[in-house]
Every structure is written in structure tokens, then in C-alpha cells.
Amino acid sequence: MKYVLLGLLTFYSFIGNSQNRSIKVKIHSIKGYNQFEPFAAKAASLLDSVLNSEEFKTEILDGKFTKKNGLSNEQVYNSIIQSHELQGAGGEDGIVDLRLRTINKDEDHEVWLKRCELNSSAGTIGIDGLGDGIFAICPQRLELWAMSDDTAALAAHFAHEYMHLLGYSHNGLFKSRTLVYKVGDIVEAILNSKEKPFKTK
């Protein structure tokens, strides 16, 4: 009987821990950010706080999204918390692995350089790494955000691109309705809200 009770206690302890999991955001590599590296570190730290907040969990569980890969909102949330990357070098589950660089003429096609111009109709912010797991941001956008200390915008960019590593896309029409876009919007909205400090799980 005591073994049954011990087994039940172990089981419920596991369930409790899984429901209260926390994740970490870690910058593994960063290239081209130069003097803006501390700004990126600050944005990553804020993203960590958001992903571990009750506000973020509620927004994901109650939200309406397209392009969820057939998953329920709870399954989507669990996939974010598990942080098992399907693209790039990956890393340890439970850690949001960020590998960062800026878009540049040596590594990227000229079309991306034109799209990065702040007056471009494309409105490009960055690219998702095309399978290598390295997020590339337009240097003009990075500088603009850094100069205005808009860490919420950069954290949202990280969140958006990270969703691609988890296997989600925004191909097709109405991109703003997709999970990838909305997760970025949620992160930015929480950071810009008046409800800080965050209520962590």
C-alpha cells in the first residue's frame, strides 16, 4: 500500500511541476549587433519574463490564431514552454535558444538590403534564418529601436522568429492573424502594458 501511495505522490508531484514549468531565454551567439549587444541582452531578459508570466499564458490559451499546425491552444502553449526547436542547432529543451545576427551584404541577397530600408514598402524587420536557426534583423530597425530604447519591439521580434524554429509559419494571406505574428504582438503588448512587474507562474 505504501508503494501505491508513494507512486501517487510521485505522479502528482510530476504533474504539478509540469504545470509550473519555467523556461529560460539564452543568447548563444550574436553577430553584427556591436554596441547594441547590451540592448539585445535586455530584450532577451524581458522576453524571458513575459514567456514565464501568467499574462502570456492567458493570452495564448484564450487567443484566436491561424496556422497552429492543427494544435489546440493548450498544445501550442506547451510547445512554447517545452522549447524543442525543429530548426537550427537547437539545444536543451526548456531553453529558448537565440542565435542572432544582422542582415548584411556579405551574407544576404541585395533584395533583403533594399527591403531593410526604413522607407521600404516591404516593411521588413528581419528574416528567420532559412532553416539554420539564426535570426537576422535589419540593422536600420535595430538601431531605430535601440535609440528609442524600444526593448518591447526587439523582444517581440525574437518571439516572432522563434516561433518559426518551433515549426510554425505565416505563409499565405492574412499573416497578421497567424500564431507567429500574434505571439510577437502579445509579447510587445504585455511589455508595453502597465501591468508590470509580471505575475510569474
Side-chain angles (χ1 to χ4, degrees), residues 112-129:
W112 288 112
L113 302 180
K114 291 185 178 298
R115 289 179 178 178
C116 276
E117 294 174 3
L118 293 178
N119 61 355
S120 168
S121 60
T124 297
I125 294 175
I127 51 181
D128 64 13

Side-chain angles (χ1 to χ4, degrees), residues 16 21-22 46 57 60 64 101:
R21 288 177 297 182
S22 62
L46 288 172
K57 180 178 181 179
I60 297 299
K64 293 183 179 180
R101 70 176 180 88

Side-chain angles (χ1 to χ4, degrees), residues 51-110:
L51 296 181
N52 284 293
S53 71
E54 288 294 336
E55 289 87 348
F56 180 78
K57 180 178 181 179
T58 298
E59 290 289 340
I60 297 299
L61 295 182
D62 295 344
K64 293 183 179 180
F65 316 101
T66 61
K67 302 287 184 180
K68 298 191 297 180
N69 295 345
L71 301 179
S72 68
N73 284 19
E74 184 175 2
Q75 289 171 322
V76 166
Y77 177 75
N78 287 336
S79 75
I80 296 171
I81 297 302
Q82 184 183 10
S83 306
H84 180 77
E85 292 107 25
L86 302 179
Q87 296 183 31
E92 182 181 346
D93 284 3
I95 296 178
V96 174
D97 300 295
L98 301 184
R99 295 173 173 86
L100 313 172
R101 70 176 180 88
T102 54
I103 293 174
N104 62 85
K105 62 181 178 62
D106 294 326
E107 296 179 79
D108 302 294
H109 194 279
E110 185 179 353

